[in-house]
Amino acid sequence: MKNIGFLSFGHWNPSPQSQARSAQDVLLQSIDLAVAAEELGADGAYFRVHHFARQLASPFPLLAAVGARTSRIEIGTGVIDMRYENPLYMVEDAGAADLISGGRLQLGISRGSPEQVVDGYRYFGYEPTDGDHAAMARQHTEVFLEVLSGRGFAEPNPRPMFPNPPGLLRIEPHSPGLRDRIWWGAGSRATAEWTAQQGMNLMSSTLLTEDTGVPFHRLQAEQIQRFRDAWKAAGHEREPRVSVSRSVFPIVSDVDRAYFGRESASQDQVGIIDGGTARFGKTYAGEPDQLVRDLAEDEAVAAADTLLITVPNQLGVDYNAHVIESLLTHVAPELGWR
């Protein structure tokens, strides 16, 4: 049994060809797509977070709204850029969204991806020590995880407006169990090992910020194995979770063929990101029987417990629900995922 969800980048564009022409369109359609995905039997609704862009940004109002409109589906992010975050305020927001959803939040966080602006986190008031913005993201994460545990740390006012419980105070609202549902978006094998040491679940996308010359899925499978080995070595008591994302488009209609027929010849790509070599995974597009054969050979998909399907959100809720339904109906059962 493999969990299957969708991952939306939440783009909008005023072009007449886009079904999402404003931020309001994207937010409301994201809620509707999560509701539709739950009705279709999918397991997760995940959303990207990008600042200074025509994409989804502040995730917690959206996550809370999705939580209020659904009852079963997991709700998550992939990923929140921790360079921009006030970790204590984030604990409050995450706790509230998780309680509204009944404990269904799966929060993906990370250092973030290349930005729309230069050093955008500085506009949010954060200045990295010695210019090391990656270290700042991990420092914010360390505080976030510690406070998320629910232990008291703040000295209470001896003459408060309202009575306090005894002892040091914690951030409220506190959502028990959320600490175990934090994921780190790791772009390399070394970062996956660090993720395991911190006791976070592993979230790996269609991009790795390294390249050893082997196919993307094999390099990602090695990343997953290193994560699991490091998790075992760290002695954590619970079992970790691992997700990978893929672009998968079953072609079951002429509309599908018009949109994605050319992607059937997609291959891995190697490029440069932030001055380093990166390997990008291919798009899977084709007739369902071909997708079953191709995905059966994907070692990383086989190794993960959760598969997130990236959706072209600007094509609208109905079409994206169709993509999800096609995967769940024509592909997943043949691979033993349902």
Side-chain angles (χ1 to χ4, degrees), residues 315-335:
L315 294 181
V317 173
D318 290 344
Y319 184 75
N320 282 289
H322 160 74
V323 171
I324 294 168
E325 183 177 27
S326 295
L327 178 72
L328 295 176
T329 302
H330 302 294
V331 179
E334 296 300 320
L335 290 166

Side-chain angles (χ1 to χ4, degrees), residues 34 44 59 78 99 107 286:
L99 291 170
L107 204 60

